[in-house]
Amino acid sequence: MTTQDPRANRHDQAAAGRYEAREADWRNGAIVYQVLVDRFAPSAHLEAKRHLYPAPKRLRDWAEVPTQGQYLEDVKVWSHEIDFWGGDLASTQAHLDHVQGLGVDVLYLNPICSAYTNHKYDALDYQQVSPEYGTREDVKALAADLHGRGMKLVLDGVFNHMGRNAPIFQQAAADAASPYRAWFDFNPAYPSGVRCWYNAQNLPELVMEHPPTREHLYAGPDSVVRSYLRDGIDGWRLDVAHDIGFNVLEDLTQHAHDEKPGSLVVGELWTYPQEWFPSVDGVMNFSTREIILRMVQGKLPVATAARMLNRLIADAGVDNLLKSWLMLDNHDTPRLATTVPDPTLRRLTQLLQFTLPGAPNLYYGSEVGMTGGDDPGMRAPMRWDLVREDQPDLQWTRQLIALRKAQRALRVGDFRLIESTRLLAFERHTDRIGESVFVIANPSSEPVTEVLLLPNSKVMSNAPLRDLLAPGSATPNPLAALLEVSLPPGGVRVLQPDVAPITGYSTYKRVQ
């Protein structure tokens, strides 16, 4: 017979509601898979589409790798920005079995709106899908397919700027009396006579505060943000959100939520995340990415990295970070296998991505160890030839995703730093001691033995732990909240209290 402690029950019941509420929100701790539609899967109708890539655009063979091009003065873009590989929404949908098989919860697409370049960050018409990719009906079909699989769809919203070829910009530039003139900031003080994002002549910025612009982008009932949400998408990732600012972001986020309660708005913010909530639901967590990578590259001492992570998580708040995307690479950064070429350290890095608070964001191809340096190297077409059951990166990715799905604390738990010096160690925990997960990593090139302090009053002395990465392997036992751990270079342990009774007895019988 188990005896219950009423005082402990009151404490646990108060905490339990927090974790249950987090679990009920699909945005918390979701596993996100990012796709560049042009590069993810070859179209089944490529020949019928060739006319959509007129010169100076070039349609490449799937086996080719993108390389740095030259600046084309007449069209104001680099030649590698108009090299295409021919993927479309239908081909992406045809490969959803792979994405679902990984255990992904959310498919995130880089921009799909009508645009001149391959990256589509230079929109011509937000309400139209780029013809190389398909139509709004294809978006609806993709969303419906994903929902049938229990998954969500998030699109990339590029509302800070458009493309110089956009009809409304061309009209505004040609006619000072145009109703679209005030949509842009024309000023002879700017290098090209209009404010452009980072002075890139192909990317004139929108005046998002201008009421008609605001109405068109997100506030009006038939606005871009709201109409795509009605089409079935589940959220928006906002490009260069730091340039949009707190007030406009908050306004946009509120309208998205009004249209679709529970929808997700994630901002691309290369800043400290603390003050950007609640202007957005989540951020792309570049700060945590930088801390992790610099630590594994030996540029940041482990103890300093631990303090930085602890400070960032405390300042931003776990509830906000659970909705924030934690990525190690994407379309704007070198791929992880290039940044961290050592397989052991790369596995350690990925383990942290899947165990720290957040929503892990997988960039297509990272699950099979694709390499790629600076732009455009990181945007190579998907290596489907590497998708094999014996591929080690794929096996490791699946193991990490399975680990997260099996462990409630990793999905929605709180964060607690474990006192250490040479090892990075932390706990993800809920109200139940049996769900606590202790993550311990040695990012150094030397073996490390260290005594750690586990600051959890429910961890019982001499009670067994189990290794979630290597079930059945020998593990150290805590003694009066201290745990001695030895790890080889690049070694990791993921430990959890074993609360199961042994021959009918458990020291956890009143504190579970």
Side-chain angles (χ1 to χ4, degrees):
M1 178 178 176
T2 301
T3 304
Q4 299 294 337
D5 181 339
R7 182 175 60 85
N9 280 350
R10 287 195 301 271
H11 172 79
D12 290 348
Q13 287 168 5
R18 178 166 74 251
Y19 305 113
E20 290 170 358
R22 289 175 181 172
E23 278 189 300
D25 190 335
W26 68 268
R27 301 171 297 181
N28 288 325
I31 296 169
V32 183
Y33 190 86
Q34 177 184 354
V35 160
L36 280 168
V37 173
D38 180 62
R39 313 291 167 87
F40 183 58
S43 173
H45 309 286
L46 195 57
E47 289 306 316
K49 290 172 46 178
R50 285 192 179 275
H51 68 284
L52 298 175
Y53 308 94
K57 297 180 180 182
R58 295 178 296 189
L59 188 58
R60 300 291 197 176
D61 184 85
W62 200 260
E64 292 185 81
V65 175
T67 56
Q68 179 74 33
Q70 59 186 355
Y71 189 72
L72 305 176
E73 182 63 38
D74 55 337
V75 289
K76 310 299 184 189
V77 298
W78 290 84
S79 60
H80 61 261
E81 293 183 89
I82 51 176
D83 283 345
F84 293 81
W85 271 257
D88 52 34
L89 290 171
S91 63
T92 296
Q93 185 176 346
H95 286 74
L96 288 183
D97 285 350
H98 169 71
V99 181
Q100 183 181 18
L102 291 173
V104 167
D105 303 304
V106 178
L107 178 67
Y108 152 51
L109 303 182
N110 282 97
I112 62 171
C113 294
S114 175
Y116 183 69
T117 63
N118 54 40
H119 52 70
K120 307 301 179 190
Y121 285 94
D122 56 333
L124 304 177
D125 183 345
Y126 293 113
Q127 293 285 15
Q128 299 296 319
V129 171
S130 221
E132 310 98 314
Y133 291 174
T135 66
R136 291 284 288 261
E137 291 303 313
D138 291 317
V139 176
K140 294 177 183 178
L142 178 61
D145 194 338
L146 287 164
H147 294 161
R149 298 167 183 262
M151 300 164 68
K152 304 290 186 181
L153 177 62
V154 172
L155 296 186
D156 206 328
V158 192
F159 306 132
N160 175 73
H161 50 264
M162 296 188 74
R164 65 184 291 274
N165 295 305
I168 65 170
F169 176 74
Q170 291 291 321
Q171 182 181 333
D175 181 5
S178 166
Y180 295 115
R181 186 79 176 185
W183 288 43
F184 304 90
D185 184 8
F186 287 93
N187 190 318
Y190 296 123
S192 55
V194 65
R195 188 178 72 201
C196 294
W197 185 76
Y198 270 75
N199 292 321
Q201 293 185 54
N202 188 44
L203 302 175
E205 289 199 330
L206 286 157
V207 180
M208 296 184 70
E209 297 85 352
H210 181 52
T213 313
R214 174 180 176 271
E215 188 81 1
H216 176 73
L217 291 177
Y218 63 86
D222 295 319
S223 63
V224 180
V225 166
R226 300 182 73 137
S227 64
Y228 276 92
L229 286 168
R230 285 200 300 275
D231 280 354
I233 78 163
D234 303 285
W236 289 95
R237 175 267 192 191
L238 300 182
D239 183 56
V240 296
H242 43 271
D243 282 320
I244 296 175
F246 299 104
N247 295 335
V248 175
L249 284 175
E250 185 171 6
D251 194 22
L252 188 157
T253 299
Q254 186 58 57
H255 279 84
H257 291 171
D258 288 345
E259 180 62 45
K260 192 170 202 174
S263 56
L264 174 68
V265 178
V266 170
E268 181 199 16
L269 289 151
W270 294 71
T271 62
Y272 196 64
Q274 180 179 10
E275 294 183 55
W276 292 93
F277 311 105
S279 294
V280 290
D281 299 317
V283 303
M284 296 186 71
N285 198 345
F286 285 100
S287 297
T288 295
R289 172 185 181 269
E290 289 297 318
I291 293 170
I292 294 172
L293 291 181
R294 293 182 195 220
M295 179 187 68
V296 300
Q297 291 168 344
K299 300 176 181 178
L300 194 61
V302 175
T304 304
R307 290 196 302 271
M308 287 180 172
L309 289 170
N310 198 43
R311 172 66 184 272
L312 184 149
I313 293 168
D315 284 349
V318 168
D319 283 287
N320 295 319
L321 291 179
L322 288 178
K323 296 179 180 66
S324 297
W325 293 355
L326 178 50
M327 64 285 159
L328 299 174
D329 53 5
N330 72 359
H331 62 286
D332 286 326
T333 72
R335 285 188 174 272
L336 180 64
T338 296
T339 307
V340 186
D342 179 81
T344 301
L345 281 180
R346 190 162 67 248
R347 287 189 171 204
L348 181 150
T349 306
Q350 291 172 292
L351 176 77
L352 297 178
Q353 178 189 24
F354 278 84
T355 54
L356 285 166
N361 185 331
L362 278 171
Y363 186 38
Y364 77 95
S366 290
E367 73 273 24
V368 290
M370 278 181 61
T371 58
D374 291 328
D375 188 17
M378 78 287 271
R379 301 178 183 182
M382 174 68 176
R383 291 282 307 274
W384 290 105
D385 59 303
L386 297 179
V387 180
R388 307 183 311 268
E389 290 303 312
D390 62 347
Q391 211 283 334
D393 293 284
L394 182 58
Q395 291 176 338
W396 178 241
T397 300
R398 285 176 173 167
Q399 184 177 359
L400 290 175
I401 292 174
L403 175 69
R404 270 186 69 92
K405 288 188 173 294
Q407 299 302 324
R408 185 174 183 239
L410 295 182
R411 299 193 308 274
V412 298
D414 287 311
F415 173 89
R416 183 158 41 214
L417 193 66
I418 294 174
E419 295 295 327
S420 58
T421 301
R422 299 179 62 195
L423 300 174
L424 179 67
F426 57 88
E427 178 188 6
R428 297 294 306 283
H429 66 93
T430 67
D431 56 309
R432 307 166 188 166
I433 182 58
E435 292 180 345
S436 281
V437 176
F438 308 116
V439 179
I440 309 165
N442 175 18
S444 76
S445 58
E446 303 291 335
V448 172
T449 296
E450 189 167 10
V451 176
L452 311 176
L453 174 67
L454 305 181
N456 186 329
S457 299
K458 291 182 178 179
V459 175
M460 295 297 178
S461 189
N462 277 321
L465 300 175
R466 55 195 183 103
D467 192 322
L468 298 178
L469 290 180
S473 62
T475 60
N477 285 355
L479 179 63
L482 299 180
L483 185 71
E484 185 171 337
V485 178
S486 297
L487 287 179
V492 293
R493 301 296 296 266
V494 180
L495 305 176
Q496 185 172 63
D498 189 345
V499 299
I502 300 174
T503 60
Y505 173 80
S506 171
T507 188
Y508 286 104
K509 59 185 175 293
R510 292 188 177 91
V511 295
Q512 293 189 36

